[in-house]
Amino acid sequence: MKKREFWFVVGSQFLYGPEVLETVAARAEKMAAALSEVLPYPLVYKVTAKTNKEIADVVKEANYRDECAGIVTWCHTFSPSKMWINGLASLQKPYCHLATQYNKEIPNDEIDMDFMNLNQAAHGDREHGFIAARLRLPRKVIAGYWQDEKVHKRLADWMKAAVGVAVSKEMKVMRFGDNMREVAVTEGDKVEVQTKLGWQVNTWAVGDLVKEMGKVSEAEIDALVAEYETAYDVATDNTAAIRYQAKEEIAMKKMLDREGCRAFTNTFQDLYGMEQLPGLASQHLMAQGYGYGGEGDWKVSAMTAILKAMGEGGNGASGFMEDYTYHLVEGQEYSLGAHMLEVCPSLAAGKPRIETHHLGIGMNEKDPARLVFEGKAGKGIVVSLIDMGGRLRLIVQDIEAVKPILPMPNLPVARVMWRALPDLTTGVECWIIAGGAHHTVLSYDVTAEQMRDWARMMDIEFVHIGADTTPEKLEEELLVKDLVWKLK
Ligand code: MN
């Protein structure tokens, strides 16, 4: 994982005299240090800015420094915002305006005009907010006391979304072969995506992977199989299949790391020279934070890697998912999600089992080994990025995952069961109206608010389907957005 940090830029002006400015700087430094203790990334105090040049300089440096994943601004005192225009207009990093103040309470006895001059965030932050609104800057506004846990949680969530932006801009996707034939939703404009999101999406021949597999040693396979045996329960006698998956994983990982790729795709229609579609191999790579998309779906693959990076510890509980089939019994309406093999074990409720089964789809000569498990219960989201022609739309739906209500003993793949909000059938209607794909990233870790923040920072359309969404409201929203995004 790369070292990342955020910069704390505090606004003021010379009007108050050196004593006030020293107090502001000392407090800002103290706040940044205290917040760094509780936030997932350090918040580094940079400057109490008093001039146009100080702001332009810190922004220039923030743009240039790779480790800076975003800036957090705050105005302890009043900071005239014309001073901020040149700097903010050239800002290329995520931007959060923390509207807070140093003191929690108004001190009844102490409060006098000196106190008022020093503690002016209530109007300083409004002047600061105006200029970002006027400049139409994408930003996150978080208001509240800086020592409150709620504020910490929201700042932490935003930081993780901003890290998702940095990961997106560095994203390289390795496609083994092309997309599944004739499928529409997995297509997209790679030039547009690279311009907008930064992704480098390129193809490698399956034959190159087969060649790489030929170079994998038995000792390397032994070591990885030992790792599998620690992490998972082995529920098959077919050790050859497990060893074959290990060989696939090692070869894919070498190619991915050599090219600096954090995500990959493949398709069952192109297994040229391979005995089995990678199942366990892809699942174990996902567990390590790599993104994956089936059937050549490079958009969902990159999104999987990004959501993982936005999650807890930089590799959260997010994975590639596909809506398979519904349970439509009244009062028990659920989606059953799975894939033919490749469900990430970060979604598992218990210890996954390694099993081998026949896979009828594709040209598998041998039965592929795969991890089988039940998904966790809990609140989550499903995410789909689609190409609308001329723009990208990110669709996020809130879901409530449950322990699968049926054991399904003959289903040979990992499975997750959930109810889409507002309810299964309305949720399905909304998803279909918005054009959401059958492939998604399912996450127990990243929230809809974080995805909204990410979409705003990436400057793409965002559609949220939640408890209050109705097909009627959604259709109106999409109509308006269609016009807006055509004008943009
Ligand atoms: Mn699929």
Side-chain angles (χ1 to χ4, degrees), residues 227-234 280 283-284 287 345 351-352 354 371:
E227 223 179 288
Y228 291 160
E229 286 169 352
T230 313
Y232 313 123
D233 288 330
V234 179
L280 172 59
Q283 290 172 296
H284 194 247
K351 197 174 184 185
I354 301 178
L371 295 171

Side-chain angles (χ1 to χ4, degrees), residues 292-294 297 299-301 303-304 307 318-323 337-339 342 347 381-385 395-397 399 418 431 436-443:
Y292 172 77
D297 192 341
K299 295 199 299 301
V300 84
S301 175
M303 287 309 300
T304 303
L307 268 85
S318 302
F320 168 60
M321 186 50 61
E322 178 167 280
D323 289 76
H339 205 253
E342 313 89 343
L347 309 180
I381 54 169
V382 284
V383 176
S384 171
L385 179 73
I395 306 159
V396 175
Q397 183 162 40
I399 63 163
W418 70 86
W431 188 263
H438 54 286
H439 286 165
T440 57
V441 186
L442 185 148
S443 181

